[in-house]
Amino acid sequence: MTVPITLLHATPVAIEPVHAAFRTEWPEAEPADLLDSGLTTARARTPELTGELTSRFVALARYARSTGPAGILATCSAFGKAIEQADAELDVPVVKPNEAMFRAALAHGTSIGMLATFAPSVASMEEEFAAIAEGVPATLRTVLVPGALDVLRAGDAEAHNRLVAAAAPDLADVDAIVLAHFSTARAAPGVREAVAVPVFTAPESAVRALRVAVGG
């Protein structure tokens, strides 16, 4: 029996990695994609998540709910508060992209490194990490990889992966590394070759969390 799931995307480069995660982590799920690529463009223009963007994202989540899924997974890391609002409002789980990944990394230690390629998402992700690690003396050190997202959007995934992997040794002294976005998950093999610490990706962790949330 298949389980219908709706995925909310703000960029097309997140789609393939999360579908790959469903194939390995939850093959019984039947994911359907909703994409508003303008969300990422608009988010890049503002240092903070605005009320207008929050409303736009929640409206997309409401439409997703109308299609009848057992659960909803958001794949963009720059819309944390909007995802929380959608989850509070809707009667099915709306799972954030990074929470499960952060928890998995913290199980390996308190010094966590993060490789990111989309600068507007970093502040909200660092806030989310701090909330998850509350009461624990944990630290998150972020390395932004300039140009990686641009080459990925241009269709050169190999160049993206090389750039992300090349930045990984800057975090070789942490307890674990997280790859900030669904789109960076494709660089995981190269990152794991570059460092000796555990490396966690968002799609696999989020799919497992959604499966638990819907009882799958």
Side-chain angles (χ1 to χ4, degrees):
M1 180 178 177
T2 59
V3 181
I5 298 297
T6 301
L7 307 176
L8 301 183
H9 306 290
T11 174
V13 295
I15 295 175
E16 192 281 328
V18 71
H19 278 267
F22 272 102
R23 288 192 293 270
T24 59
E25 303 295 333
W26 194 7
E28 299 82 9
E30 188 175 70
D33 302 295
L34 284 181
L35 169 66
D36 181 355
S37 59
L39 281 168
T40 295
T41 304
R43 183 67 182 86
R45 297 193 192 107
T46 176
E48 297 181 356
L49 183 62
T50 64
E52 180 181 354
L53 278 176
T54 297
S55 297
R56 180 172 168 179
F57 188 94
V58 172
L60 185 65
R62 291 189 192 117
Y63 175 73
R65 177 66 187 99
S66 75
T67 65
I72 297 169
L73 174 58
T75 68
C76 183
S77 53
F79 293 88
K81 296 296 184 182
I83 299 167
E84 291 173 5
Q85 182 173 327
D87 184 48
E89 178 179 318
L90 300 179
D91 61 350
V92 297
V94 182
V95 171
K96 298 171 77 172
N98 305 303
E99 181 175 351
M101 176 180 68
F102 284 145
R103 293 190 186 281
L106 283 166
H108 286 262
T110 57
S111 175
I112 308 301
M114 183 167 71
L115 291 169
T117 61
F118 185 58
S121 70
V122 170
S124 62
M125 291 186 70
E126 290 177 341
E127 290 176 5
E128 182 179 357
F129 176 86
I132 292 169
E134 186 177 6
V136 177
T139 59
L140 179 66
R141 190 163 90 240
T142 301
V143 171
L144 186 65
V145 187
L149 186 57
D150 292 333
V151 297
L152 180 60
R153 286 171 170 164
D156 195 343
E158 290 186 4
H160 163 272
N161 297 348
R162 286 195 301 270
L163 287 169
V164 175
D170 291 344
L171 296 171
D173 60 337
V174 299
D175 295 321
I177 291 174
V178 295
L179 304 185
H181 323 293
F182 275 48
S183 60
T184 47
R186 52 177 45 87
V191 173
R192 291 183 175 123
E193 289 182 3
V195 295
V197 301
V199 176
F200 294 90
T201 63
E204 289 82 1
S205 300
V207 169
R208 288 193 291 267
L210 180 62
R211 184 172 186 170
V212 171
V214 303

